[in-house]
Amino acid sequence: MNNFNEISTDENSFSEDFENFLSNRNLTTNEVSKVVAGIISQVRTHGDKALKAYTKEFDGFETEDFLVTNKEKDFALNHVDSNLMESLEYSFEKILSYQTKCFESLDLENPEDEITRKFRVIESIGMYIPGGKASYPSTVLMASAPAIACGIKNISITSPTKNGALDSKVIAAAKIAGIENIFKIGGAQAIAALALGTNQIPKVEKIIGPGNVFVAEAKKQLFGEVGIDSIAGPSEILVLADKTSDPETIAWDLMAQSEHDSDASSILISDSQEIIKKVQEIIHQELEGLERCTIIKEALRSNGLMIKIRDITEAKPIINRLAPEHLHIAFDHRNYKEENQLIAGLILKGRDSANSLSDYVLGPSHILPTNSSSRFSSPLSVEDFLVSYSYISLNKSHDLVQYEEYVKHTINIANAEGLTAHALAAKKRLKN
């Protein structure tokens, strides 16, 4: 059984096959856009009333109050394994430590400079935590830690429920992160509620966190009314391998990525046909025994790809065209000179740098740019919660010659543009 699509740079049709793969990935239909636009319009007009109707329609339960109560939290926490709590605490400590170091390394103020840039921290964020097909307490930690490192205290969580009950592990992660406001609502309606505000759900300044195609479309349509971290698509991994790579760990990394969602994308590029063959054999042998076998199969069939290249030098343009969320260089690459020219949201170096480890406990956030957006976007980090502003504090007595230069050139440019009031406003500063 061959789960992957295969193409090769040896084939004349390679460029066409590769472009077809890219163009067919995760297309957003007009129907999705229309549905999301309707949801946003209803929430904008009817607030909580619309949220209640959508919760009944999409989540299958009725509620008058979206806020998770202390009683519900206590009940959920009593059903969370103590070993999991210990691991979540360990993970949060690592993530918060990493993000705090990032925050402390920023030069946030230059009080000695007359002309500089300063920063302020945004006041409130809303976190969307997926919950339809899997439980993601790790995303609570990965999303909240950068904000907490900046000192943000006004944090709200929205997450879909199952039969009206929020996942206990998400509540446990929120407890560890110190987040009190947790709302039982998912989908595009949750994004609309956070962006617009309702009687029950407070309006926030920025929304972060991944979600399905409806969540991504809602973020896209509401961008500008609220800050958005990114328009995240399904998760991706690209593994670059040569004949020295370990096919077993590669196979497991590809399956691990594919179990996120049937739209997840797992890609292998190798100059070794033997490695490609062995990886396929291992996946075939191991797949049926996995809990999320059906999802993995669909992801590999729809969005999996194996690319045979003639030699490693052909890898760079293909990788940079894909610009994947995760890139794993799965060989001894100390002499691989093109490593620093590769584009990805996260680059994992060497066999031991498992993507699974980075997903949970190493510190950098696993909320990363997807769908080739790593060309112009960065992983979620403390910078996402800082807003810069330009700062000017001039005193002509400190350096009159320099100040006169500013005024002279301002007058010349303003007059050339016909903005004579600008020119005179600058010239008046030279009085006295």
Side-chain angles (χ1 to χ4, degrees), residues 37-98:
I39 290 171
I40 292 171
S41 176
Q42 288 296 308
V43 174
R44 189 187 301 278
T45 304
H46 301 292
D48 290 329
K49 182 180 178 181
L51 296 182
K52 292 171 186 176
Y54 287 127
T55 298
K56 182 179 180 180
E57 178 181 354
F58 297 131
D59 295 335
F61 78 100
E62 296 185 55
T63 184
E64 290 298 318
D65 194 348
F66 295 106
L67 185 68
V68 177
T69 64
N70 289 333
K71 184 178 179 180
E72 289 174 305
K73 291 177 187 176
D74 291 340
F75 179 83
L77 292 171
N78 286 334
H79 290 78
V80 177
D81 181 76
S82 60
N83 289 327
L84 174 61
M85 287 295 288
E86 181 182 353
S87 294
L88 290 174
E89 288 169 354
Y90 176 88
S91 174
F92 187 63
E93 180 183 332
K94 292 295 183 185
I95 302 165
L96 187 59
S97 174
Y98 172 85

Side-chain angles (χ1 to χ4, degrees), residues 106-124:
L106 296 172
D107 184 13
L108 298 181
E109 285 194 19
N110 298 291
E112 303 301 320
D113 295 339
E114 290 183 328
I115 305 171
T116 187
R117 184 174 69 143
K118 292 189 177 184
F119 296 84
R120 66 172 179 83
V121 178
I122 63 176
E123 292 185 359
S124 60

Side-chain angles (χ1 to χ4, degrees), residues 197-221:
T198 71
N199 288 335
Q200 290 194 39
I201 299 176
K203 176 179 172 61
V204 300
E205 292 186 336
K206 190 163 191 173
I207 299 173
I208 62 174
N212 64 16
V213 64
F214 292 95
V215 169
E217 180 63 22
K219 291 169 79 175
K220 185 186 298 183
Q221 292 190 23

Side-chain angles (χ1 to χ4, degrees), residues 113-238:
D113 295 339
E114 290 183 328
I115 305 171
T116 187
R117 184 174 69 143
K118 292 189 177 184
F119 296 84
R120 66 172 179 83
V121 178
I122 63 176
E123 292 185 359
S124 60
I125 62 166
M127 296 180 358
Y128 186 88
I129 307 301
K133 297 180 180 178
S135 174
Y136 292 107
S138 60
T139 301
V140 176
L141 307 181
M142 292 287 182
S144 63
I148 292 168
C150 294
I152 297 175
K153 301 190 186 314
N154 191 350
I155 301 175
S156 297
I157 290 176
T158 62
S159 187
T161 66
K162 292 181 180 177
N163 301 317
L166 199 63
D167 184 83
S168 60
K169 294 181 285 294
V170 167
I171 292 175
K175 171 76 172 176
I176 288 167
I179 301 169
E180 293 293 334
N181 286 341
I182 310 171
F183 296 97
K184 299 177 288 186
I185 186 166
Q189 59 272 26
I191 302 301
L194 290 169
L196 305 173
T198 71
N199 288 335
Q200 290 194 39
I201 299 176
K203 176 179 172 61
V204 300
E205 292 186 336
K206 190 163 191 173
I207 299 173
I208 62 174
N212 64 16
V213 64
F214 292 95
V215 169
E217 180 63 22
K219 291 169 79 175
K220 185 186 298 183
Q221 292 190 23
L222 286 160
F223 177 77
E225 291 193 63
V226 66
I228 297 294
D229 58 343
S230 64
I231 311 299
S235 198
E236 311 156 348
I237 190 170
L238 190 160

Side-chain angles (χ1 to χ4, degrees), residues 398-419:
H398 290 169
D399 189 340
L400 183 58
V401 173
Q402 176 67 78
Y403 193 82
E404 288 174 336
E405 284 284 298
Y406 292 152
V407 172
K408 181 182 78 171
H409 294 299
T410 295
I411 290 172
N412 289 342
I413 296 170
N415 283 332
E417 292 185 348
L419 302 178

